[in-house]
Amino acid sequence: MLCQICKENTATIHLTEISHGQRRETHLCQRCAQQQGLGVQPQIPLNELLSSLLQAAKTATDSQEKTVNFSHPDKTCPVCGMTLQRFSETSLLGCPEDYKHFEKELGPLIERTHAGHSHHCGKVPAHAGQEMKKEVELLHLRRQLEQAVKAEDYETAARLRDQIRQYQ
Amino acid sequence: MKPAQLANQSSSWFGAEGPGWDIVISSRVRLARNLADYEFLSCLTPGRQQEILDKLSEAILSLSLGDEVYFMDVDRAATLERQLLTERHLISRQHAAGKGPRGVVVSAKESFTAMINEEDHLRMQVYAAGFNLGDCWKRINAIDDMIEQKVRYAYSERWGYLTACPTNVGTGIRVSVMLHLPALKMTGQIEKFVTAARDADLAVRGLFGEGTDALGDFYQLSNQVTLGVREEDVVRELSDNIVPRIVDYEKAARQVLLEQKPHTLDDKIQRALGVLKSACLISSQEALYLLSSVRLGVNLGRVPNLSLTTINELFLLTQPAHLQLRAGKMLDADQRDALRAQIIRQKLANN
């Protein structure tokens, strides 16, 4: 519902007055209500208090700032085939390897959305460590295998299959 | 377990009694995880997506979670069933509308749900009634540890848990509370609350319905920064600093209304109650607005003989899919509005 006075802002103050048996409803936005001397005065500077709560050094993050222009939009991840162009359209990555492959491009973007932070400092899974490498390699091999099969290159496919077996 | 069976039940965390539940309806902690050996959803073949579904559902169903758990196949569920799961916050809209093999594991009390193949391979959440974020975190962290014994998560030393969208990378944690803030709204302070929250890198969303307009004065407040922070600190910040202050402001605003505008306040509450008790057709949006006013009235002791549980239950059970599964058939908008009005009249008459 729009404010009856300015007809621009959403009406947040709804006043019902009854005088001489006549009922009158008024719907106003905060600003117009204050100008009319209506509206309950805000008691607390909620704004200031909340802002001071989080002291995290914030960069000027704008949530609307969604579209990103990369200088090499056709850069492609060898594991999943994701391109920077596709990522900028959907905000979704294609595989865990993308974080490494596009690290240079994604880094500043990630820092901006996470209040300037650039490194994880929370929970660490028990498996993390030497296994990491193996996982990425496996993903990569699987992708190559898929392509080899598609191209009917069975010699390469067989070699890749054996390599994958070794890893597992 | 069929979703339809849930249509008549209230939920253990929505509308149930919990600490500070007059203003903080419920607490939730969510973790986003992905399997190491698989592409993210956007690059997965249906076959590999099925493998993930099998792997994760098996892993989660085999855990002893202290509560019975069920698996529901979201891909094969009827549209109405998916909508019901969404209305109960067991799955997201995105999951309901998704494609390919996907599902959800839900605990019998609905306090734990794990969406498989949503935006990430695994998105699990723990809910609690009232203001209780600490317990939510402890429980989900323990469950995460157990799952981690069975599968390997995608993780990098620098970026932490890797997620399909970089906005969740790092901890993959989303800590949120559902708030009922009618007095801040009535006193015109809600925009300030929303602006201040956004300035503090917190997201504010409506609890019901799409978009940012919080229908019926219900708001969901959650953290946005997931990288470079410790999970415990995110929980503590909301739990010890931010939420208690918002609760205090809402309480102060209620006090101001009681002192300065008692008639306006009572008029709003009693009119809402009057319409709810006698209407023969009522839309879900109107019901939300009116129930919100009555809920405020109950909390301020202006509506004797009516319990908060009853009001909360009405919010849940009068949603469109709940009504239709309860009726056992598809209903058009008019029929839904009639059934909704009838259920509300009956509930309120008994109190």
Side-chain angles (χ1 to χ4, degrees):
Chain A
M1 187 186 295
L2 287 179
C3 169
Q4 288 174 344
I5 294 181
C6 66
K7 299 200 169 47
E8 273 175 18
N9 303 325
T10 311
T12 51
I13 293 175
H14 310 280
L15 191 76
T16 308
E17 286 177 277
I18 300 171
S19 62
H20 308 297
Q22 291 285 314
R23 186 162 161 273
R24 216 185 64 173
E25 278 188 23
T26 320
H27 307 281
L28 305 172
C29 69
Q30 194 190 350
R31 203 183 54 203
C32 294
Q34 267 169 7
Q35 281 168 358
Q36 299 285 309
L38 297 168
V40 178
Q41 283 297 313
Q43 300 295 300
I44 323 108
L46 185 63
N47 206 358
E48 294 148 34
L49 240 152
L50 253 186
S51 321
S52 64
L53 287 177
L54 285 186
Q55 289 134 6
K58 286 193 295 290
T59 50
T61 321
D62 186 356
S63 54
Q64 275 131 31
E65 199 181 329
K66 281 244 157 121
T67 43
V68 199
N69 289 316
F70 295 107
S71 51
H72 304 290
D74 48 358
K75 187 171 175 183
T76 310
C77 169
V79 177
C80 68
M82 177 59 67
T83 63
L84 283 171
Q85 176 63 37
R86 218 175 122 201
F87 168 71
S88 70
E89 286 160 13
T90 61
S91 304
L92 293 173
L93 292 166
C95 77
E97 175 65 7
D98 288 357
Y99 279 95
K100 201 184 279 170
H101 192 73
F102 300 128
E103 186 157 17
K104 210 173 76 202
E105 293 83 0
L106 289 178
L109 199 73
I110 296 179
E111 285 178 35
R112 226 181 322 149
T113 39
H114 292 283
H117 298 299
S118 58
H119 285 86
H120 176 57
C121 69
K123 191 171 174 173
V124 177
H127 298 288
Q130 69 276 34
E131 302 241 326
M132 293 291 315
K133 261 191 178 166
K134 193 174 127 185
E135 285 151 18
V136 173
E137 192 54 36
L138 258 174
L139 256 179
H140 187 58
L141 289 172
R142 278 217 188 89
R143 172 101 188 153
Q144 285 184 302
L145 175 64
E146 234 170 72
Q147 280 167 348
V149 172
K150 220 183 254 173
E152 301 188 347
D153 179 1
Y154 295 115
E155 211 177 285
T156 314
R159 185 174 48 81
L160 289 163
R161 187 201 54 209
D162 292 341
Q163 267 180 285
I164 291 172
R165 275 200 192 139
Q166 270 181 2
Y167 264 101
Q168 284 170 331
Chain B
M1 182 75 167
K2 295 284 284 177
Q5 286 168 255
L6 297 170
N8 290 313
Q9 285 174 25
S10 57
S11 130
S12 74
W13 59 269
F14 183 86
E17 201 168 335
W21 68 315
D22 54 336
I23 295 171
V24 186
I25 296 174
S26 64
S27 306
R28 177 190 80 141
V29 175
R30 183 213 79 188
L31 292 178
R33 299 285 186 254
N34 288 276
L35 296 185
D37 304 320
Y38 291 86
E39 298 82 1
F40 296 141
L41 265 292
S42 63
C43 286
L44 265 183
T45 58
R48 307 247 305 150
Q49 196 171 331
Q50 182 68 49
E51 273 178 44
I52 294 176
L53 180 64
D54 296 341
K55 212 174 199 171
L56 281 172
S57 56
E58 195 190 309
I60 300 169
L61 287 169
S62 72
L63 304 176
S64 37
L65 297 171
D67 192 4
E68 217 176 326
V69 286
Y70 304 92
F71 172 77
M72 295 191 207
D73 188 328
V74 175
D75 194 36
R76 295 204 180 119
T79 313
L80 215 48
E81 292 177 325
R82 282 183 218 159
Q83 201 186 332
L84 179 106
L85 296 175
T86 315
E87 287 175 0
R88 295 180 82 82
H89 295 260
L90 298 177
I91 65 171
S92 62
R93 270 166 218 279
Q94 192 179 341
H95 202 42
K99 276 195 193 118
R102 64 197 192 284
V104 63
V105 178
V106 180
S107 76
K109 287 181 182 156
E110 300 176 57
S111 58
F112 168 76
T113 104
M115 287 183 276
I116 303 170
N117 291 338
E118 199 234 27
E119 184 180 296
D120 292 299
H121 298 156
L122 177 61
R123 282 200 171 184
M124 44 186 170
Q125 36 196 15
V126 163
Y127 285 105
F131 187 27
N132 203 351
L133 289 171
D135 282 356
C136 289
W137 161 244
K138 267 185 224 148
R139 185 162 174 224
I140 201 159
N141 189 30
I143 295 173
D144 186 49
D145 284 345
M146 288 192 271
I147 297 174
E148 203 208 290
Q149 302 294 314
K150 304 186 179 262
V151 300
R152 277 212 321 268
Y153 288 144
Y155 178 86
S156 107
E157 232 165 275
R158 176 175 181 190
W159 301 118
Y161 291 93
L162 302 175
T163 50
C165 181
T167 50
N168 298 307
V169 80
T171 53
I173 199 170
R174 192 75 76 219
V175 180
S176 55
V177 282
M178 291 182 184
L179 301 164
H180 186 217
L181 306 174
L184 283 180
K185 182 81 173 281
M186 278 176 83
T187 55
Q189 299 179 85
I190 208 74
E191 282 84 3
K192 280 186 174 182
F193 153 73
V194 173
T195 316
R198 295 209 168 127
D199 283 349
D201 280 330
L202 298 169
V204 181
R205 294 189 190 87
L207 171 51
F208 299 98
E210 279 282 72
T212 48
D213 191 24
L215 285 177
D217 315 325
F218 293 96
Y219 297 85
Q220 181 177 305
L221 184 74
S222 52
N223 72 297
Q224 279 189 298
V225 173
T226 55
L227 179 71
V229 286
R230 290 174 60 237
E231 292 85 349
E232 290 85 356
D233 294 337
V234 178
V235 172
R236 199 175 309 127
E237 187 69 45
L238 272 153
S239 203
D240 295 357
N241 284 334
I242 296 166
V243 179
R245 284 176 208 234
I246 296 167
V247 167
D248 284 349
Y249 297 145
E250 170 65 20
K251 282 186 179 156
R254 290 180 182 190
Q255 202 52 41
V256 168
L257 284 171
L258 278 172
E259 282 163 14
Q260 297 182 8
K261 306 238 173 208
H263 298 306
T264 312
L265 185 66
D266 277 336
D267 186 67
K268 193 176 165 88
I269 296 164
Q270 298 305 330
R271 271 172 195 279
L273 198 56
V275 172
L276 289 170
K277 275 186 169 170
S278 45
C280 295
L281 285 177
I282 196 159
S283 72
S284 58
Q285 188 166 342
E286 189 183 11
L288 270 174
Y289 275 115
L290 298 174
L291 284 168
S292 171
S293 299
V294 174
R295 194 178 192 275
L296 174 66
V298 172
N299 281 329
L300 293 177
R302 312 300 263 195
V303 187
N305 308 324
L306 189 55
S307 77
L308 213 50
T309 321
T310 307
I311 298 294
N312 289 343
E313 205 176 285
L314 284 175
F315 279 114
L316 193 68
L317 302 183
T318 59
Q319 299 178 93
H322 276 77
L323 290 176
Q324 296 178 73
L325 285 168
R326 183 190 183 113
K329 58 181 179 191
M330 300 287 276
L331 303 172
D332 63 27
D334 238 29
Q335 292 169 318
R336 290 202 299 272
D337 291 355
L339 180 57
R340 181 178 298 114
Q342 185 197 331
I343 292 171
I344 295 174
R345 280 201 314 273
Q346 281 168 353
K347 271 272 181 212
L348 295 182
N350 294 338
N351 275 273

